[in-house]
C-alpha cells in the first residue's frame, strides 16, 4: 500500500472553511477514484496565525494514483478556488510505502 501525503497552510481564521472545502475537493475526488483505499486529515496550529493541514490518502500501488494525479504523481493537484482560503499549499506530494498499519 502507498500513502500519499500533501500539506497546506492557511490563516487560522480560514481553518474551518478550508477543511470543509478540502472535503468537497480533494477528499471527494480521491474517494471517487478507482483504487482509493482511504484518507486521513491531520491539523495543527503552527503559530497563533497559521493552521497546517496534512491530507494522507491510501492507494494499492503507485500506478493507481495516476488516475487521480496524472502521470507525474509527485505534483500536487490544486484547485481553482484554493486562493479563496489564502492557502500556502505544497506544490508537491510525498509517497511512502506503508510498512505497517496497526490499529487497536
Amino acid at each position: 500500500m502507498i500513502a500519499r501525503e500533501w500539506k497546506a497552510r492557511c490563516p487560522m481564521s480560514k481553518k474551518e472553511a478550508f477543511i470543509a472545502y478540502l472535503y468537497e475537493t480533494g477528499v471527494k475526488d480521491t474517494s471517487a477514484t478507482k483504487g482509493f483505499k482511504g484518507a486521513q486529515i491531520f491539523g495543527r496550529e503552527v503559530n497563533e496565525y497559521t493552521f497546517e493541514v496534512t491530507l494522507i490518502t491510501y492507494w494499492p500501488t503507485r500506478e493507481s494514483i495516476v488516475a487521480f494525479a496524472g502521470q507525474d504523481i509527485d505534483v500536487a493537484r490544486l484547485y481553482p478556488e484554493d486562493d479563496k482560503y489564502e492557502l500556502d499549499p505544497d506544490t508537491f506530494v510525498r509517497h511512502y510505502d506503508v510498512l505497517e498499519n496497526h490499529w487497536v
Side-chain angles (χ1 to χ4, degrees), residues 73-87:
I73 66 170
D74 293 327
V75 174
R77 182 171 166 185
L78 302 176
Y79 291 85
E81 292 188 31
D82 287 356
D83 290 344
K84 179 179 175 182
Y85 302 94
E86 300 176 40
L87 291 189

Side-chain angles (χ1 to χ4, degrees), residues 14-30:
K14 305 277 185 172
K15 171 181 137 180
E16 298 302 324
F18 172 61
I19 292 170
Y21 172 71
L22 182 60
Y23 275 103
E24 288 301 313
T25 55
V27 174
K28 184 177 179 181
D29 289 347
T30 55

Side-chain angles (χ1 to χ4, degrees), residues 27-76:
V27 174
K28 184 177 179 181
D29 289 347
T30 55
S31 298
T33 304
K34 183 178 179 180
F36 172 80
K37 297 295 181 193
Q40 293 179 301
I41 298 174
F42 299 95
R44 72 182 184 106
E45 293 184 11
V46 175
N47 55 45
E48 63 183 295
Y49 309 105
T50 308
F51 189 75
E52 181 179 71
V53 172
T54 301
L55 171 63
I56 301 178
T57 56
Y58 297 93
W59 305 86
T61 63
R62 290 179 190 279
E63 293 75 28
S64 65
I65 298 168
V66 171
F68 169 72
Q71 288 300 313
D72 189 351
I73 66 170
D74 293 327
V75 174

